[in-house]
Amino acid sequence: MDKHLKTLHSLSKTLTTLHQTRTPYRINHGSTNSTRPRPSSGTATVDISSLNNVLSVNKATKTALVEPNVPMDKLVEATLPHGLIPPVVMEFPGITAGGGFAGTAGESSSFKHGFFDDTVRQVEMVLGDGKIVRFGPDDEEKGDLFRAAAGAVGTLGVTTCLEIRLMDAKKYVKTRYHRARSVAEAVEVIRREVRNDDNDYVDGILFSRDHGVVVTGELTDVKPRAAEPRTFSRAWDEWFYLHAQNQQQSEEYIPLAEYLFRYDRGGFWVGAAAFEYFKFVPFTRFFRWFLDDFLHTRMMYRALHGSGESARFVVQDVAMPFETTEAFVDYTAESLNIWPLWLCPLRRRAPPTFHPFTTVPEGVVREEEDMMLNVGVWGWGPDEPARFVEKNRELEAKVRELGGMKWLYAHTYYAPDEFWDMYNGRGWYDELREKYNAGHLPSVWDKVHVDPEAAGNKKRHWLKRQVPLGGFYGIWKSIQSKDYFLHRNAAWKWKGEE
């Protein structure tokens, strides 16, 4: 804690100086799960990468004090020995607690527990003028700051510590697979399963218009003696989505941490795109085993940015009303032909908020007042930059037409008026920026916006345009990070029955 306080007060002094000179700045967290283009140089950078520790786990109060750069795998490793687990754990081990709060993190337990920030009891933050404040969602004076900062991508201050609510952990997740033979049926199965009080996790995968699998999980300490625990972290284990696609057994038992991070190997199914890029490497179980070090999410993010392929890879998550999800899937099938798609039910939050929230188009009857569906659209887009931008703009327009909203971690091309109109105008946000001395900082739009004209005309470095040389360069950059050791040495991996 002494180290934390020393870093906190040093950061406070730095931000006080920047505020006095009205200097805008960006934060270096040390890693990122965003696919937005990296910001250009010329803006001051504040380094908080050292804030990466779990400060305490309190079994009596079922809470953890966590610095913002603590990744999910380290948080789980810290809480599980106490028999506790965060209610919402992002499926990628490298996503951080601060990223989950300042961004939008909704996962397969979010139909029950809400967004990640719904599990946060208190936030410690350094405001734009260097003042250190602590507040929670029910704070009479600063509750408005909590609600706005959750999702505001760090534009109201720098989060330095989070008090996270925990719950009792169980040994296994009793997992069931429900086959759906149409998009409408998959949506209906999810609608049914979120109402089942026994379920702790619900998500779905659409492999095509006539093949979907809805996955439900129930926390349990009891496993039939004859049931072998199913794992997904070992190099020879099948990737989870491939396992689910061909799953004939309707029920199995997965160790808790293995379930939480089941999508890490292969990054859901984005890792399959690497095999499409390196056409000379067959997409077989042998090569998925042989190349396992490179096919975890941390390494793939490094390679994606290093290679420059993020400039032509569609990575979009959109919140859709249940009622228009089928129409949106019809659109993506015709326009982008990207499969599989991820479906994840989430609690709907009313505005004002920078979390996505849904409406329904005129003439559509809303049946789900408090729920919405995240649709994950991740796959290759057009090679030509202008065409890539055009397709992303088309997607943004279709999402709005159908009453949905995008997550802001990815390529975002909205013009200012269009963007602020989505969030009920910027008046409420500007008032908070003035109240909390953040007016000199980049706004949310400033941080997430990608200029369509610049992106459409941008030419990648000649080396990165050469297939497969650009890919090899990305792999080299990922190897330099040595992130593959993080999975090799992960303590959360299942080590057998005790």
Side-chain angles (χ1 to χ4, degrees):
M1 185 62 79
D2 289 343
K3 180 183 176 183
H4 174 81
L5 292 176
K6 183 178 179 180
T7 302
L8 175 65
H9 290 293
S10 175
L11 175 63
S12 174
K13 290 179 182 179
T14 299
L15 297 192
T16 298
T17 300
L18 292 173
H19 178 257
Q20 290 170 348
T21 58
R22 308 298 289 177
T23 303
Y25 60 85
R26 291 182 181 270
I27 300 296
N28 173 33
H29 301 278
S31 65
T32 179
N33 285 280
S34 171
T35 58
R36 294 191 300 271
R38 300 297 177 88
S40 58
S41 59
T43 301
T45 301
V46 175
D47 189 344
I48 64 166
S49 58
S50 65
L51 292 173
N52 59 2
N53 301 292
V54 178
L55 301 177
S56 67
V57 177
N58 190 320
K59 191 170 182 177
T61 61
K62 294 185 180 180
T63 58
L65 283 179
V66 180
E67 291 181 323
N69 296 318
V70 170
M72 288 297 103
D73 53 358
K74 296 305 179 186
L75 179 56
V76 167
E77 289 174 358
T79 62
L80 270 183
H82 299 272
L84 300 170
I85 199 76
V88 178
V89 176
M90 286 73 91
E91 268 100 346
F92 290 174
I95 297 178
T96 63
F101 177 77
T104 293
E107 306 300 341
S108 57
S109 62
S110 289
F111 76 96
K112 197 166 193 172
H113 300 288
F115 291 108
F116 179 77
D117 58 272
D118 286 310
T119 71
V120 175
R121 292 180 53 173
Q122 190 174 58
V123 177
E124 177 186 81
M125 180 178 287
V126 183
L127 299 180
D129 60 357
K131 182 180 179 181
I132 300 170
V133 294
R134 295 173 181 86
F135 53 92
D138 300 321
D139 190 297
E140 290 186 11
E141 182 183 353
K142 297 185 178 66
D144 56 353
L145 178 59
F146 185 99
R147 290 185 290 274
V153 294
T155 60
L156 292 169
V158 180
T159 300
T160 53
C161 189
L162 301 162
E163 182 183 18
I164 298 172
R165 177 169 53 86
L166 305 174
M167 68 180 192
D168 291 331
K170 299 292 180 69
K171 197 169 185 178
Y172 303 101
V173 177
K174 181 179 180 180
T175 307
R176 296 182 177 90
Y177 301 86
H178 312 260
R179 176 71 182 263
R181 291 169 176 78
S182 69
V183 177
E185 183 181 358
V187 172
E188 203 52 43
V189 171
I190 290 175
R191 193 194 301 268
R192 179 190 73 213
E193 293 302 324
V194 298
R195 295 182 180 131
N196 182 346
D197 292 337
D198 291 336
N199 287 330
D200 296 293
Y201 305 96
V202 176
D203 70 320
I205 306 169
L206 289 175
F207 296 95
S208 67
R209 279 182 164 132
D210 57 8
H211 181 191
V213 175
V214 175
V215 184
T216 60
E218 176 187 348
L219 289 164
T220 181
D221 284 322
V222 180
K223 177 182 71 64
R225 185 180 297 273
E228 286 292 326
R230 173 72 64 176
T231 62
F232 297 98
S233 64
R234 297 175 300 189
W236 191 251
D237 289 337
E238 189 58 282
W239 289 1
F240 179 77
Y241 92 96
L242 294 172
H243 173 74
Q245 182 177 22
N246 300 308
Q247 180 64 12
Q248 300 301 319
Q249 183 179 345
S250 61
E251 183 177 292
E252 61 187 359
Y253 291 79
I254 303 174
L256 176 55
E258 295 277 344
Y259 189 90
L260 296 175
F261 301 129
R262 66 199 180 280
Y263 287 115
D264 177 45
R265 292 176 58 252
F268 283 90
W269 37 85
V270 172
F275 289 84
E276 294 177 30
Y277 178 90
F278 294 104
K279 300 181 185 299
F280 51 87
V281 182
F283 187 61
T284 63
R285 192 164 185 173
F286 171 81
F287 281 102
R288 292 194 292 276
W289 164 79
F290 183 70
L291 298 170
D292 186 66
D293 274 342
F294 304 101
L295 295 169
H296 295 267
T297 49
R298 282 184 171 104
M299 291 289 282
M300 287 194 292
Y301 271 113
R302 300 277 190 183
L304 188 66
H305 283 298
S307 67
E309 291 301 323
S310 60
R312 66 185 188 100
F313 202 81
V314 176
V315 182
Q316 299 284 0
D317 278 83
V318 299
M320 298 300 302
F322 273 69
E323 297 78 11
T324 61
T325 296
E326 185 177 9
F328 178 71
V329 172
D330 286 341
Y331 160 77
T332 60
E334 295 296 331
S335 179
L336 298 168
N337 192 32
I338 290 176
W339 301 99
L341 302 173
W342 191 46
L343 300 180
C344 183
L346 308 164
R347 283 187 186 175
R348 179 178 176 271
R349 183 175 298 177
T353 176
F354 283 110
H355 289 322
F357 56 89
T358 57
T359 57
V360 291
E362 187 175 349
V364 175
V365 177
R366 180 183 287 279
E367 299 177 23
E368 294 290 341
E369 290 291 339
D370 60 343
M371 298 292 293
M372 58 188 186
L373 268 178
N374 172 61
V375 183
V377 185
W378 318 311
W380 291 114
D383 289 345
E384 201 273 313
R387 183 65 175 152
F388 179 83
V389 171
E390 180 183 344
K391 280 294 180 183
N392 276 272
R393 286 294 285 149
E394 286 179 6
L395 183 144
E396 290 177 344
K398 179 58 68 172
V399 168
R400 290 201 70 188
E401 175 189 324
L402 295 175
M405 288 183 74
K406 284 175 40 171
W407 264 240
L408 296 177
Y409 72 85
H411 294 77
T412 302
Y413 300 96
Y414 302 108
D417 290 347
E418 182 183 9
F419 179 84
W420 293 113
D421 182 63
M422 291 166 49
Y423 295 98
N424 292 354
R426 62 179 296 170
W428 65 277
Y429 173 63
D430 284 343
E431 287 178 8
L432 286 172
R433 279 163 65 83
E434 182 177 354
K435 178 179 177 180
Y436 293 108
N437 295 304
H440 64 295
L441 304 182
S443 71
V444 173
W445 182 84
D446 293 327
K447 292 193 71 170
V448 306
H449 176 66
V450 178
D451 186 303
E453 184 176 354
N457 293 323
K458 186 175 182 179
K459 302 298 181 184
R460 287 191 294 158
H461 189 278
W462 68 270
L463 175 63
K464 295 182 179 181
R465 294 199 305 268
Q466 311 306 312
V467 178
L469 295 182
F472 281 127
Y473 179 76
I475 290 174
W476 177 64
K477 296 295 287 185
S478 67
I479 291 173
Q480 284 185 311
S481 73
K482 298 184 179 181
D483 279 352
Y484 53 89
F485 283 118
L486 296 174
H487 182 78
R488 284 189 189 179
N489 302 324
W492 59 263
K493 293 189 291 186
W494 178 250
K495 297 175 178 60
E497 301 279 3
E498 296 180 357

